[in-house]
Each structure stands twice: as structure tokens, then as C-alpha cells.
Amino acid sequence: MHHVDCGFSVLAIYLKKGIPFDVVTFTTPIRGIFTENRVKDAVDFFKKLVREKICEPNEVMYGTVMNGLSKKGHTEKTLSLLRLMEQGNIKPNICNSNIVIDSLCKDRNLDAAISLSNEMNRKGIRSNIITYNSLIDGLFKFGQWEKVRILFSEMVNHNIYPDMHTFNIVIDGLCKEGKVEDAEEVMRHMNEKGVEPNILTYNVIMDGYCLRGQMDRARRIFDFMIDKCIDPDIISYNILINGYCKKKKLDGATQLFREISRRGSKPNIVTYNTILQSLFEVGRIGSAKKFFDEMLSTGLVPDLCIHGTLLNGYFKYGLVDEAMSLFNELERKRGKSDIEFYNVVINGLCKNRKLDKAHAIFEAFFYWTASECENIQYNDKWTLS
């Protein structure tokens, strides 16, 4: 529930009552501190437990700390903790190793990840499907197809067979390379192996066809998914709508948009922004304004992207007064924190030959930024002193 302070209050009562505690008792608050993004506090608490010998960490506690560090990009510290485990009484297991291997892969340090996997195998900690999935995902992102094939052969030799996640990684990698037919072939292979494709599988293949502008094939996958009794989610709809909009097939996009509610889903900000951009691109200004009003009526709050789309659209068709009216309203509500707004407005004014106004806005933002920097420097000095 993200109420770690309450958790510690219970822990204090727990200890005062003399109720016996174990490693699980302290692993829970460590995990809680990490979920609140307080990495230093979590590590300090862990060190205190070890230093004062309050409890002996086990593989799960080490894994909790390693996972927390890994998710925040502290790969070197995660690896150091693994090495520290190797020197102590509690030796790392495959779960601990997988956390580090996955972190190295996400850090694009594939050689170190493969090296660590081989090292763990030599020490008797055998790789499992999670290990292979992390390595395969990393290799696909680098386009190292030959190494992926070697890993697949190695998996099968060790009687480890691809699971849903493995297939989805492969399909995603193929689609990103433009090999969508091959990805669809892999999906058929999944069915043969008794692994049912999930919504992510279908979404990835649909997106692959949409990126190639093959909307008929994308729609075929969408309909096939429904035939398989898998309800499309809002991501499925957004992928197809974006594909239709890119092909300037607004009728198809609008028809699909109306279908969302009938199937029990709700359009989100991305859905509205995609169609809004497309309406402006084809010059349907009136329709774009009505569509924006429709979005507001649903209770959705416009974000930075929506406002950027409106500003760009107004400036593109010379509606400078409407653009400036929106900009002034946003400035009152949001302050001067979003440089993107200023870039859009300055660019729009320049293209509409309103150079004096553009320069005035630039100067106002420049002087505000300079004064803010001075305040920050002053406050930092005061805090340090």
C-alpha cells in the first residue's frame, strides 16, 4: 500500500513485545522502501541489519536488495552484491544470478552477461528459462541472430523449452527487423508446441504490419485474435488506429474508434491524440476541434502531447490567435516549466512571420530560466552552509 512508515510502526510494536523475528520480517520493509524509490534508505537499512548482526540475510533478502538496485540502473552495485554473497555463508542461487544477468543485458553489456551465465553454470548454478529469456532479449536488441540460434540450441540440449515470454521476445525482435511474416510463422509454431499466443503476441505482429503500412494484414491478425476469444485491449486499438491514420485512412480509424466503447473498453489520451493529429494533417480543423471537445466531455485531462498537437495544428493553418489564446491559458495553469510549449509556439510564430512576438516570448522564457538558475544556486549554497 506504499505506507512503509506504518509498516515500521508495526515493526516497532513487534520488537517491543518480544515476538520472535526472522529474515522475512526485515525483507518486507526493505522491499517496501525500494517501492517508494528510496534506494539509499533501503541499502542503509540492509547494511545496518548486517553490520549489527540483527539478522542473517538469506537468498531472498539479497535478491530483494539486488532487484531494487537493478531496477534503478545500479548494475555495478548489483554485481558487487553478488560477489559479496559468494564470499559469505549464503551462496547465490539462480534467482540472484538472473537478476544480475538481466541487469547487465538491460545495460547493453551482453558480453559480461553471457560471461556471468557461463561462470554460474561452471559453478553448478544451472541456467533456466529466465536466464535464457534475458540473454535472448538482449541479443535480439543488438541484432545478433547467430548467437540467438546458438542459445536456442543450447536450451534444447539442456531440456529447457521456450515459454510464452521467449516466443514473444523472438516475435518482437523479428517485427522490429521488418520480418513480420517470419514472426507470424513463429506464432504458428507456438500453437504447434501447445503454447497459446497472448494479447501481447498479437499486438506485436499487428504493429509490425502497421509499420509496413499493410493494414489489411494487420486487421486480419486483429480479427483472428477476436476469433480466438481474446478481447483486444486499448493498446490493440491504438496500434490499428495509428496504422490507419498513418495511411490517411481516417474512416477506418474513426470506425475502429467507435467500436472501442461497444466492446467495453475506453479510448485513452493516446487514442484521442492519434486521431487529433491525423485530422489536423488532412486539414479537417472543424472536426479536430469537435473531437477535442468530445474528449473533454469524457473527463479525460489533456496532457502535454494533446496540447502540443493543438498548438501545432493551429499554427500550421495560420490560426495564430487561437494558438496564442491556448498558449496563454496553459502558461497561467502550468507556469513556465515546459520548454516544449515554448519551442512549439516560437516555431509556430516564426513560420507565420510573427518574429517580434516569437522573440518576445523567447526573451521572457530566457530571463525566467536565468533567474530560476540563480535561485537554485543560492538555495544550494544556503543548504550546504
Side-chain angles (χ1 to χ4, degrees), residues 140 161 309 319 365 379:
F140 260 118
Y161 295 98
T309 297
L319 304 175
F365 184 73
N379 289 334

Coordinates of all heavy atoms in Angstrom, one line a residue, residues 140 161 309 319 365 379:
F140 N 18.7 -10.0 -29.3 CA 17.8 -9.5 -30.3 C 17.9 -8.0 -30.5 O 17.9 -7.5 -31.6 CB 16.4 -9.9 -30.0 CG 15.9 -11.1 -30.8 CD1 15.5 -12.2 -30.1 CD2 15.8 -11.1 -32.1 CE1 15.1 -13.4 -30.8 CE2 15.4 -12.2 -32.8 CZ 15.0 -13.4 -32.1
Y161 N 12.7 -25.6 -22.7 CA 11.9 -25.3 -23.9 C 11.3 -23.9 -23.8 O 11.0 -23.4 -22.7 CB 10.9 -26.3 -24.1 CG 11.5 -27.7 -24.4 CD1 11.6 -28.6 -23.4 CD2 12.0 -27.9 -25.7 CE1 12.2 -29.8 -23.7 CE2 12.5 -29.2 -26.0 CZ 12.7 -30.1 -24.9 OH 13.3 -31.3 -25.2
T309 N -0.2 19.0 -29.9 CA -0.9 18.7 -31.2 C -1.8 19.9 -31.6 O -1.9 20.3 -32.7 CB -1.8 17.4 -31.0 OG1 -0.9 16.3 -30.8 CG2 -2.5 17.1 -32.3
L319 N -3.9 29.8 -37.7 CA -4.8 30.2 -36.6 C -4.0 30.7 -35.4 O -4.0 30.2 -34.3 CB -5.8 29.1 -36.2 CG -6.6 28.5 -37.3 CD1 -7.3 27.2 -36.9 CD2 -7.5 29.5 -37.9
F365 N 11.1 33.8 -21.7 CA 11.4 32.5 -21.1 C 12.9 32.4 -20.7 O 13.3 31.8 -19.7 CB 11.1 31.4 -22.2 CG 11.4 30.0 -21.7 CD1 10.5 29.4 -20.8 CD2 12.5 29.3 -22.1 CE1 10.8 28.1 -20.3 CE2 12.8 28.0 -21.6 CZ 11.9 27.4 -20.7
N379 N 20.0 28.7 -3.2 CA 19.4 27.8 -2.3 C 20.3 26.7 -2.0 O 20.5 26.2 -0.8 CB 18.1 27.2 -2.8 CG 17.0 28.3 -2.8 OD1 17.0 29.2 -2.0 ND2 16.0 28.1 -3.7

